[in-house]
Structure formats: C-alpha cells, structure tokens
Amino acid sequence: MTPRKIELFVPAITPFAADLSVDTGRFVAHSKGLLASGAHGLAPFGTTSEANSLTVAERMSALEALVEAGIPAEQLIPGTGCCAAADSIALSAHATKLGCRGVLMLPPFFYKGVSDTGVFDAYAQVIEAVGPGLRVYLYHIPQMSGVPITLPLIERLIAAYPGVIAGLKDSSGSWENTASVIAAFPQIDTYSASETMIPENVAAGGAGCISASSNVNPAGIRALIDGLNGPDHGALHEQVSAVRRLFEGVPLIPGIKAAVAAQKNDPEFARVRPPFVATGSEHAADIADAVRIAGAQDRE
Amino acid sequence: MTPRKIELFVPAITPFAADLSVDTGRFVAHSKGLLASGAHGLAPFGTTSEANSLTVAERMSALEALVEAGIPAEQLIPGTGCCAAADSIALSAHATKLGCRGVLMLPPFFYKGVSDTGVFDAYAQVIEAVGPGLRVYLYHIPQMSGVPITLPLIERLIAAYPGVIAGLKDSSGSWENTASVIAAFPQIDTYSASETMIPENVAAGGAGCISASSNVNPAGIRALIDGLNGPDHGALHEQVSAVRRLFEGVPLIPGIKAAVAAQKNDPEFARVRPPFVATGSEHAADIADAVRIAGAQDRE
C-alpha cells in the first residue's frame, strides 16, 4: 500500500464587485495565487467561499472560469451541496463533466432532526442521478448545517457507493470525531478543517486539511506538510497556529477576506455578501498581525 | 381603527409524483380544497411545503399553476426566502408581479451566528431589488433556520420599510415571543404557527395562524376563528387541539402528508422528498385518529 498523499485544499474566498456580483477576475487571480503559493488544490464554494450566498448559475460560471484560466480540474473539489436535490445534481454533474477531482457535498441543510436514512436517501438521489465519474467528499459541519454526517451514515454510503465516496471534511472542530472517522474508514481521505490539526491528522492516517485560513497562509501550511518529518516541524506548526489563533476573536469569513485584502493591498477583496458584515476597525490589529506572520501571498 | 381581520393561511403541502417531480395536479386540487374548506388563504412553499427541497423554477411554476387555476393571488403568501439573495429576489419579484398579497421570507439560513445588521442587510437587499408592490411577512423559525428574527431587527426593518413589512409568522413555539412581537409592533400582522394559540393570539391583537396541521384540519380551525366569541369556543378549541396533539409524536411533515393522503384516500399525497422519510406503520393509529377528528376535507 502506498502511503496516503497529504494535501492542502483551499476553500478559496469569492471576491465581489461593488454591485456584489462575483468578481471573476479577482477570483481567478486569487485562486492561481493559492496554487502558486503551495496549495495542492482548491475546494471553491465551501463555507468560507460564501457558497451558500451564490446561485447555482454563479457557481457554475465561476468554476468554468477557473478551468478556462488553466487550473487543472483534477486540482478542484468544488462544493455542490444545496437544499434542493435538483440543484445539487446540476452542480455535481457540471463539476464531474469538467473533470473535477470530486465534489464537497453538504447534506440538505434546512430541515433539522432528520434521520440518517433521510440523509442517506438525499446523497443517494444525487449520486444515482449524476452517475459515473462522480466522486463525493462528505462535508460534516454540524454547527452550520445542523445535519451531522454520522459514522453509521458514512458506513452505509461507503457500502452502497464504494467507488464514489472519496473522502470527508470534518469541520466539527472535534478531533475525537476526526480520529473516529479516520480509524473506521481508512479507505477514504479525511481532511481536518484546521491546519493546527495536521500533525494529528497525518499521524492517524488522515489526508491533510481544507481550511479557511489557508486563504491567508497557504505557504506556511504547505511548509508544515512538507516538513512534518523534518527538524523544523515544531516551528512550522507554531507559525500556522499563530496565524490561526489571530482569527479566533474575529468573525471568520469577513476576517479572512479582510486579511486577503491586506495581503494583496487591494481593499476590493474584503467585500462580503449579506448576511455577513465587513470587519470593523476593532479587528484590524489581529488581521494585520496574521498577515505579517503569514507574509505576502502574491507569488503569481 | 377597524378591528384586525383574523385569518388562517395554510402552508399547503407539495405533492410529488413517483419520480419526485412536483405533482401540479394534486397540488392545485389540494390547494383549492383548503380554500373551499374555509382557509382564508394559502402560504405555499413554507416549511411544511418542503419548499427548501424545491428549486426556484419549481416554485415559480407551481405558484403560476395556482393562479392559473383561478385562486386569487390576493389569497397567496408564498415563501420566497433562500440562502442566495438572487434566488430570494427572483421568487419575490415573481410573486409580486403575479399580484400575491405578500411573501413569507426566511432570512438566509446557512450561516449561523450572524448579526442583526447582517440579516437586516439581507432583507434590505431583496426589498430594494424587488421594489414597489412587495409586502414582506418575516419568518421566525429559529429551530430550523438557526437565524432568529429578533425584536430589534423587526424594529429596524419596519422603520426602514414601513409600507413593506406587513407581518411576521412566529414558528418559534414561544408564546412569550409572539406576545412581545404583537405588543411591540401592532402595525403588522403577527401569526402563530399553531392553531392551539389562536385564542391568545387574537386576544393579544394578533392576526391568526399559519399552521402545518391546517392542511388536515382547515374547517376545524376556521370554525374556531369564526366561533371565538361564541358559546362553543371551548369545544372548537378542543377539536383543533385534539388534532394537533396527535401529531406530537409523529415526524411532522411526513405525518401531515400521510394524514392528507388518508383523508383523500389517495396514497400519492404521502410521498416526501429526502431528507424526509415517509411515516411508518408505528404512526398509523395517531394519523388515523387525527383524520377521524378532523373529518374528510375534499369539499371541492
């Protein structure tokens, strides 16, 4: 058995123009910059990307722009899980047709208290409709979705669709849960949602991370991944932890966008769609410190 | 000041065909039946309608079918609140153009822990984009949306859009909250989400109810509204409460659909979309009892 490849996928932020339309030019430029800075791939249209504030058409158009700009589809795992199955199917089929490595799929997330059987049926409906070529990364983020991806559900999905269920992103913040998923399902790639957990994730047999703050610190996180077995691993871990800690008191998504804007010296990147509000001056010092530690990211 | 009209609006269920497409024929028939049975109007595409499992195009098409079937648009308050503003705008503009009395609008509901300012911005974005003719009923259902409509938020919205904010549906289950909204904002119509609260709602100055179980018991609820000041009000309240109680141990939306199927002797009405699962035989007795108390509803 070859060792698992450890990777960083970035849930790239979605820049908006003054009229709040998707700023495709800045989206492509930022995405290419993340890859040039060391990210192995992108997970656009995740939570950090404000994906749920985008329409189906906006997501398709922006994904096409990445591929047309020369980003290999094999490096892309776009988010495609919506409340309505037909929307999830349309986005997943579109990504599959473009040749994306897979899709990061939320369960339908309006209705709470639904059964594992109901969530299984929801995933099955999309998988059956999209057909060959689809690879699904399950997205466990119960504090936002309200619909957990439980271990029994993962087991059922892998049993029913063994070549389709490719991985899981655990955004629960519970290392115990991540460890349980890795231990129970070594055949899939399990990603942590924080770069601070990379050492434990990798030691347990996980696949790396998909992290909001990797929009700001891709080079640092890549250096940690590459240096995990080297003499500097402690210092590399401290660097990514120091950046991450500075966002703890800041509204995460507006804060990440403000930091990217600061790094690029381009305030346009800071704009958010409602229900988010741009960060205020009370967070400027933390953001500036995070940017100072992470360094500039425009390596394009 | 004329006394407020007390009304029942039904969040009509959305029937599905075997392939899970919207069964427009049964949707129109059920909707007309509800009005014939005494409902003052319909609030289609609410939580009970599985609205969040429908696409924007499906909702528009189904709403048009109601109007084309002769239901006056003035009796319709469709749900239009989605995660993406452009979707909420499209649905709200469509409903306004059709002449609907208003729209029942969820806040964007994926992101949790957002500020009142962010939610205000989200509503304002839709209101400004749709323009004249729009009337908004705010939809407070924090146990599903995760995004409460707080009193300070209502105050800001009414102050900014006094002719637009027409009402609020309180699905929180907290009578204290409903009473606070009615007391603070007598200029809007506040609906309870359970018919059992109609006496308190009306006594406090509310506008009636928009209730899941009114799909099953519209005649009973209408009788209660009409008889509130009459000698039978106690018995009328006990009838609606008895029906409602029988759904307490049953998954609500699948249970309501099963009950409608039983009333109409048409099992097609029981079908649900994932993430719901049709009710099992363990709930059959409660559903049968609810139907027996409510009586048959096909008065078309």
Side-chain angles (χ1 to χ4, degrees), chain B residues 132-157:
Chain B
L134 177 66
R135 299 178 79 236
V136 174
Y137 295 77
L138 304 167
Y139 193 0
H140 179 57
I141 182 167
Q143 71 275 30
M144 289 291 172
S145 68
V147 179
I149 310 294
T150 67
L151 269 72
L153 172 62
I154 301 168
E155 184 170 16
R156 281 186 64 182
L157 284 166

Side-chain angles (χ1 to χ4, degrees), chain A residues 19-20 46-56 58 82-87 106 108-112 114-115 117-119 121-122 125 139 141 143-146 253 273-277, chain B residues 19-20 46-56 58 82-87 106 108-112 114-115 117-119 121-122 125 139 141 143-146 253 273-277:
Chain A
D19 66 357
L20 293 186
T47 300
T48 308
S49 318
E50 298 170 78
N52 298 101
S53 301
L54 306 178
T55 65
V56 168
E58 285 176 326
C82 302
C83 287
D87 291 338
L106 284 167
F109 54 80
F110 179 72
Y111 296 104
K112 309 302 189 289
V114 295
S115 65
T117 295
V119 181
D121 291 348
Q125 185 180 10
Y139 193 177
I141 184 167
Q143 70 276 31
M144 289 291 173
S145 67
I253 295 167
R273 281 188 177 180
F276 290 120
V277 177
Chain B
D19 66 357
L20 293 186
T47 299
T48 307
S49 320
E50 297 169 79
N52 298 101
S53 303
L54 306 179
T55 64
V56 168
E58 285 175 327
C82 302
C83 287
D87 291 338
L106 283 166
F109 53 82
F110 179 72
Y111 296 105
K112 309 303 190 288
V114 294
S115 65
T117 295
V119 181
D121 290 349
Q125 186 180 8
Y139 193 0
I141 182 167
Q143 71 275 30
M144 289 291 172
S145 68
I253 294 167
R273 282 189 177 178
F276 290 120
V277 177

Side-chain angles (χ1 to χ4, degrees), chain A residues 63-266:
Chain A
L63 183 64
E64 289 167 15
L66 295 183
V67 174
E68 284 162 13
I71 296 178
E74 183 55 36
Q75 288 178 270
L76 297 171
I77 306 178
T80 61
C82 302
C83 287
D87 291 338
S88 302
I89 291 167
L91 287 171
S92 301
H94 176 257
T96 301
K97 194 172 171 191
L98 282 174
C100 291
R101 167 152 152 179
V103 300
L104 183 58
M105 202 186 301
L106 284 167
F109 54 80
F110 179 72
Y111 296 104
K112 309 302 189 289
V114 295
S115 65
D116 274 2
T117 295
V119 181
F120 175 88
D121 291 348
Y123 276 111
Q125 185 180 10
V126 177
I127 290 168
E128 303 273 355
V130 175
L134 177 65
R135 299 179 79 238
V136 173
Y137 295 78
L138 304 167
Y139 193 177
H140 178 58
I141 184 167
Q143 70 276 31
M144 289 291 173
S145 67
V147 180
I149 310 293
T150 67
L151 269 74
L153 172 62
I154 301 167
E155 184 169 16
R156 280 186 66 181
L157 284 166
I158 291 176
Y161 304 106
V164 178
I165 305 301
L168 179 138
K169 177 185 177 190
D170 186 359
S171 293
S172 68
S174 160
W175 166 248
E176 290 68 28
N177 186 67
T178 311
S180 300
V181 173
I182 295 172
F185 311 109
Q187 67 271 51
I188 68 170
D189 291 335
T190 298
Y191 299 88
S192 290
S194 171
E195 55 273 31
T196 62
M197 291 186 187
I198 287 176
E200 296 97 315
N201 177 290
V202 173
C209 91
I210 305 176
S211 146
S213 39
S214 63
N215 276 283
V216 178
N217 194 26
I221 298 170
R222 175 60 183 267
L224 173 62
I225 289 173
D226 291 347
L228 270 179
N229 297 316
D232 297 332
H233 67 89
L236 294 167
H237 187 256
E238 178 48 31
Q239 191 268 7
V240 306
S241 300
V243 173
R244 183 85 185 185
R245 270 196 303 272
L246 286 161
F247 288 102
E248 279 171 11
V250 179
L252 185 61
I253 295 167
I256 294 291
K257 293 189 102 167
V260 171
Q263 279 183 319
K264 297 184 187 293
N265 196 24
D266 180 353

